[in-house]
Amino acid sequence: MSISEQAAGIGALADPTRRALYEHVIAQPDAVTRESAADAVEVPVHVARFQLDRLVELGLLDVEFRRLTGRSGPGAGRPAKLYRRAAQTIAVSLPPRHFDLAGHLLARAIERSADGTPIDAALRDVARTEGDAYGARIRADPAPVPADDRPDEHLELDRMRHALAGQGYEPRSVDDAVVLANCPFHDLARAHTDLICGMNHAYVSGVAEGLGCRHVEARLDPAAARCCVVISAGNPEHPAGTLNP
């Protein structure tokens, strides 16, 4: 979901009727009918139906259909429409944070380190693999960045900017480089700088590889008030992901 869609979902709960219906649904051990929800919050059934369906549209509730009598076959009646908490997570963070991605990478690194690999090396390895997979998915998208007659490295910087914008890095073009105005792992990076910056660098390098960008390099270049990684036009003889000397 985009940030606007997530914000709309959360904002919907500002309405007291929607909030009451949502809180009733998620408090139940099983999915509920609109009639029971209407009774619980003391609103007409048609109001509950409208508001519950709106919560479904916004991604806050899921729907299932089930016969409540337990009967089946002819004469068993139509299945009832039931509401339950949505399986997906909705969270809005400004600026964007992706601690779920960091948690996933750290968990995979812990699993990898069971064979004796140092945790920092394991984390860089899994981060690069995940970044590569993400870049490959973006690359498969039909023409996300139109080609033109600019040099290869400029086209690849555009592709990197497009891909990393989708992960909350807030990329900015500065001369022949892309700087990342936001670190999606900011709080973790402040507390565990070497570990998380190494992970971040490996992830961005993997994105470059997955995108097929061979004329740019991701390098560690820490500075205040931005991400520690900068992407710049690089020597094609060196792979993406080269560290600063």
Side-chain angles (χ1 to χ4, degrees), residues 21-29 32 60-61 83-86:
L21 286 165
Y22 177 77
E23 290 174 347
H24 170 73
V25 170
I26 66 173
Q28 307 313 306
V32 304
L60 291 170
L61 296 179
Y83 300 85
R84 54 182 169 78
R85 186 204 296 267

Side-chain angles (χ1 to χ4, degrees), residues 30-181:
D30 197 4
V32 304
T33 66
R34 60 198 180 199
E35 289 81 10
S36 65
D39 287 344
V41 303
E42 300 180 342
V43 297
V45 173
H46 72 276
V47 172
R49 179 178 65 247
F50 174 80
Q51 298 290 15
L52 289 167
D53 286 341
R54 182 59 178 152
L55 291 170
V56 172
E57 292 174 9
L58 293 167
L60 291 170
L61 296 179
D62 285 341
V63 168
E64 63 182 69
F65 292 88
R66 190 196 323 151
R67 287 189 175 93
L68 301 180
T69 62
R71 298 167 54 196
S72 61
R78 297 175 60 185
K81 186 176 185 179
L82 306 174
Y83 300 85
R84 54 182 169 78
R85 186 204 296 267
Q88 69 180 355
T89 300
I90 295 180
V92 176
S93 173
L94 297 173
R97 298 288 184 253
H98 284 291
F99 298 125
D100 53 341
L101 175 59
H104 171 68
L105 296 176
L106 287 163
R108 287 197 57 200
I110 291 169
E111 294 172 345
R112 181 75 58 86
S113 67
D115 64 4
T117 303
I119 188 67
D120 55 345
L123 182 57
R124 289 193 299 270
D125 183 39
V126 299
R128 196 167 193 127
T129 299
E130 288 285 331
D132 185 288
Y134 173 72
R137 291 195 300 272
I138 298 299
R139 187 181 186 184
D141 189 39
V145 179
D148 55 35
D149 57 358
R150 289 176 298 164
D152 288 343
E153 59 268 24
H154 291 174
L155 294 174
E156 292 181 0
L157 287 172
D158 277 358
R159 293 188 184 105
M160 289 293 292
R161 191 175 68 246
H162 169 81
L164 294 173
Q167 292 292 69
Y169 281 94
E170 298 182 354
R172 307 282 188 269
S173 294
V174 178
D175 299 326
D176 288 333
V178 172
V179 299
L180 308 176

